[in-house]
């Protein structure tokens, strides 16, 4: 029964990996991979040589990754803790439904919603204008781009990301809370000594997976808004690979950047998993 799944996995996940060979060739689509000349590591000079466009894309990617790990990652945990503290199951289900809904919207709709609210002709600016007050510009402002895409990610996916944490919290035995209460622990003490230790393994696991995907910060979301703010503020590695490879037809250089990006992700996963073992956690896989 596993054969169809294995075949699909090989066909769509592993066979395409062979295409990375164009990173070591001067790939020309009209003569094919086999006939293209070998150039060794020449295409990787765009990384080691400090190409300004690549350096800019790498810098923007690192900043967005840092923001997402430090600020965005903890938000679903806080939401899950808040939802878990609600006594009424009806209100909890209602709040969960409201929080989950944005996840099912495409990035096109999410970007359009933010433009309708925050754009120059959006609802908020129209209200300010009708009151004779000064308006503001967020959509299209390069300085506000990272806060803007961070707000979009939080609105779209934070509620959905609470599912795993709520599933873990639902498995915590009520006897542990009762025992803590008998020992005189208040709600904060119970959260510190019972709830947070229960969440720790899944937090470590998701953080390791997040680090493995650290250099992928949302291609579709950013490419939709790139024209409004310009490449200097919005170019990240994913859009750099697209713009350099597909638009400018530098296929081999784009493949080299993509290959290095994937290799860095693997190193981050292995390193984070090793660090988790040092601190006594199971991590992504056990030793």
């Amino acid at each position: 029964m596993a054969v169809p799944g294995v075949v699909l996995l090989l066909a769509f996940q592993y066979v395409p990996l062979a295409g990375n060979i164009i990173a070591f060739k001067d790939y020309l689509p009209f003569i094919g991979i086999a006939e293209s000349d070998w150039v060794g590591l020449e295409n990787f000079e765009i990384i080691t040589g400090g190409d300004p466009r690549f350096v800019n894309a790498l810098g923007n990617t690192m900043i967005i990754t840092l923001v997402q790990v430090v600020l965005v990652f903890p938000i679903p945990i806080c939401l899950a803790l808040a939802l878990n503290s609600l006594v009424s199951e009806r209100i909890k289900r209602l709040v969960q439904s409201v929080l989950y809904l944005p996840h099912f919207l495409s990035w096109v709709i999410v970007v359009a919603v933010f433009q309708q609210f925050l754009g120059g002709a959006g609802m908020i600016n129209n209200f300010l204008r009708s009151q004779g007050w000064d308006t503001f510009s967020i959509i299209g402002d390069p300085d506000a781009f990272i806060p803007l895409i961070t707000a979009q990610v939080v609105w779209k996916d934070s509620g959905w990301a609470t599912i795993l944490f709520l599933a873990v919290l639902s498995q915590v035995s009520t006897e542990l809370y009762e025992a803590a209460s008998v020992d005189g622990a208040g709600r904060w003490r119970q959260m510190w000594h019972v709830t947070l230790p229960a969440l720790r393994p899944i937090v470590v696991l998701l953080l390791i997976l997040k680090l493995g995907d650290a250099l992928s910060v949302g291609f579709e979301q950013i490419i939709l808004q790139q024209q409004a703010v310009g490449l200097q503020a919005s170019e990240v590695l994913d859009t750099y690979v697209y713009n350099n490879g597909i638009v400018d037809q530098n296929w081999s250089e784009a493949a080299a950047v993509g290959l290095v990006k994937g290799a860095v992700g693997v190193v981050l996963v292995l390193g984070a998993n090793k660090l988790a073992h040092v601190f006594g956690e199971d991590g992504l896989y056990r030793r």
Side-chain angles (χ1 to χ4, degrees):
M1 292 182 65
V3 172
V6 173
V7 171
L8 288 175
L9 183 67
L10 291 174
F12 293 103
Q13 298 293 330
Y14 286 93
V15 172
L17 289 176
N20 284 314
I21 197 173
I22 68 172
F24 304 95
K25 287 194 163 196
D26 181 17
Y27 174 62
L28 298 173
F30 56 86
I31 63 174
I33 295 177
E35 299 298 326
S36 298
D37 295 332
W38 290 95
V39 295
L41 300 177
E42 183 179 313
N43 293 314
F44 293 86
E45 291 178 1
I46 198 171
I47 301 173
T48 58
D51 175 67
R53 286 181 58 192
F54 173 78
V55 172
N56 177 56
L58 180 61
N60 289 336
T61 302
M62 296 304 294
I63 293 172
I64 295 173
T65 295
L66 182 65
V67 170
Q68 291 191 354
V69 171
V70 175
L71 297 180
V72 178
F73 184 79
I75 290 177
I77 302 173
C78 297
L79 280 175
L81 293 174
L83 287 171
N84 192 58
S85 67
L86 293 176
V87 177
S88 171
E89 287 296 326
R90 180 176 298 180
I91 295 177
K92 184 186 293 187
R93 285 196 295 270
L94 176 63
V95 174
Q96 284 180 273
S97 300
V98 173
L99 290 174
Y100 293 166
L101 184 60
H103 174 75
F104 297 99
L105 302 177
S106 70
W107 275 116
V108 175
I109 296 177
V110 172
V111 171
V113 167
F114 271 73
Q115 286 178 337
Q116 290 301 314
F117 275 94
L118 301 175
M123 293 174 58
I124 295 178
N125 272 333
N126 281 338
F127 172 76
L128 295 175
R129 201 174 288 114
S130 67
Q131 300 299 316
W133 297 336
D134 292 335
T135 59
F136 58 86
S137 175
I138 293 179
I139 306 295
D141 182 1
D143 294 331
F145 181 67
I146 291 179
L148 175 65
I149 63 172
T150 302
Q152 291 168 347
V153 170
V154 170
W155 183 68
K156 186 176 188 295
D157 288 330
S158 289
W160 183 256
T162 62
I163 290 178
L164 284 176
F165 300 115
L166 287 172
V168 172
L169 291 176
S170 68
Q171 300 301 313
V172 180
S173 172
T174 56
E175 293 179 355
L176 293 176
Y177 291 105
E178 292 171 357
S181 180
V182 169
D183 290 340
R187 297 190 64 177
W188 289 107
R189 283 282 185 182
Q190 292 178 25
M191 180 182 295
W192 183 259
H193 292 290
V194 179
T195 307
L196 292 182
L199 286 176
R200 189 171 61 198
I202 190 68
V203 169
V204 171
L205 176 62
L206 293 180
L207 189 57
I208 293 173
L209 293 175
K210 179 66 179 174
L211 289 176
D213 209 25
L215 298 182
S216 299
V217 290
F219 170 78
E220 188 179 358
Q221 176 196 11
I222 292 176
I223 201 75
L224 285 168
Q225 304 173 87
Q226 193 162 67
Q227 190 173 3
V229 296
L231 292 178
Q232 187 65 30
S234 64
E235 187 82 304
V236 295
L237 290 179
D238 287 334
T239 58
Y240 175 81
V241 169
Y242 170 77
N243 288 324
N244 197 30
I246 304 299
V247 178
D248 297 339
Q249 298 186 353
N250 296 318
W251 311 92
S252 296
E253 290 182 353
V257 174
L259 189 60
V260 171
K261 190 166 78 73
V264 170
V266 172
V267 171
L268 287 175
V269 167
L270 295 177
N273 198 70
K274 182 69 177 177
L275 193 61
H277 290 163
V278 171
F279 286 96
E281 300 292 337
D282 289 336
L284 194 58
Y285 52 86
R286 296 186 177 181
R287 285 176 286 187

